[in-house]
Amino acid sequence: MVDDAPAGLDTTTVHPARRYNYWLGGKDHFAADRESGDLIEKAHPTIRLTARENRAFLQRAVRHLAETGIDQFLDIGTGLPTADNTHEVAQRANPAARVVYVDNDPMVMTHARALLSSTAAGRTRYIEEDLRNPGKILAHPMLRDTLDLDRPVGLVLVAVLHFIAEHQHARDLVAELLAALAPGSHLVLTHGTADFSTEQEKEYFRQLTARGASDAYPRSHDEITEYFTGLHLLEPGIVPVCAWHPATDDLPSPHDIAIYGGVGRLGERR
Ligand SMILES: C[S@@+](CC[C@H](N)C(=O)[O-])C[C@H]1O[C@@H](n2cnc3c(N)ncnc32)[C@H](O)[C@@H]1O
């Protein structure tokens, strides 16, 4: 855990990157992040497993895309660097892969050096920006200098859309990002859900949200499917993240995971 905050960093309010780092067993979090993390863990005691499974999905999906020819990635909602970040996974499969990371947490910026390591043949860049400004992300000189938007891109929105309160707003953001990408691009997405929660669990979570202790908005399978409108869903579709091309047969229950993941491919535009 960190004791001294970098200058200019607000550590008094919870931030998802630091709370996620807490659940993953990292060291970059403050009291407010741990407090929120513990409250959510009360509502969902397997949250640490959820975080690990979400991360493992991200790595399997990125590896799959890199192995099938996607050589450039836009990863929005990067998180604090941990083992096997997107660029490491992609560049292991293809050393020339290029990755642009985007996150709105200034603390990710302080760790950007770890994210910016790259193979000599590839490239990684980091932009501090908000998902709610897709136009600014897409027009950013660093993105334009790193990614060729006339060729397919892997758009990674993993465990970030559920921080957008309004479903229609989240849909519009995804649609705006996809509209800028070439045919053959892919969307890699995960999103928290209450589909497998009991009524009691849902009520506890609602109370946490109402008092500002949780900032995540779970959505249903149908709602999450809407993010993939116009895309061809890769097998096995939108499933609990642990069930997307799992490395083992011994899967945790959907209730314990409570986060869906899927990958979709953008076809030719008419
Ligand atoms: C739960 S972490 C997920 C990290 C990584 N994608 C993964 O799945 O391992 C969510 C990340 O999204 C970032 N985030 C949340 N809201 C955001 C927003 N509006 N714009 C950009 N990043 C955001 C947080 O700072 C955090 O790093």
Side-chain angles (χ1 to χ4, degrees), residues 68-187:
T68 52
I70 299 291
D71 62 359
Q72 37 177 14
F73 293 84
L74 174 57
D75 180 343
I76 306 179
T78 308
L80 289 157
T82 169
D84 279 346
N85 302 292
T86 297
H87 71 283
E88 290 156 330
V89 176
Q91 292 179 346
R92 211 174 290 140
N94 177 359
R98 293 178 166 217
V99 177
V100 171
Y101 290 111
V102 180
D103 203 284
N104 70 349
D105 186 340
M107 190 145 161
V108 179
M109 188 66 185
T110 68
H111 289 262
R113 193 166 302 163
L115 290 173
L116 296 181
S117 65
S118 172
T119 53
R123 193 187 283 186
T124 73
R125 291 288 181 268
Y126 173 71
I127 299 171
E128 190 176 332
E129 190 47 84
D130 199 293
L131 167 64
R132 285 166 284 209
N133 299 322
K136 281 193 182 168
I137 294 174
L138 291 164
H140 199 287
M142 219 186 279
L143 182 148
R144 293 288 171 162
D145 189 43
T146 310
L147 307 181
D148 175 0
L149 297 190
D150 291 331
R151 294 198 306 107
V153 169
L155 172 62
V156 179
L157 295 174
V158 168
V160 65
L161 269 186
H162 48 227
F163 298 116
I164 305 295
E166 292 293 326
H167 177 52
Q168 187 57 48
H169 185 196
R171 277 193 73 174
D172 291 346
L173 295 173
V174 179
E176 188 171 343
L177 289 163
L178 287 173
L181 303 185
S185 293
H186 287 69
L187 172 65

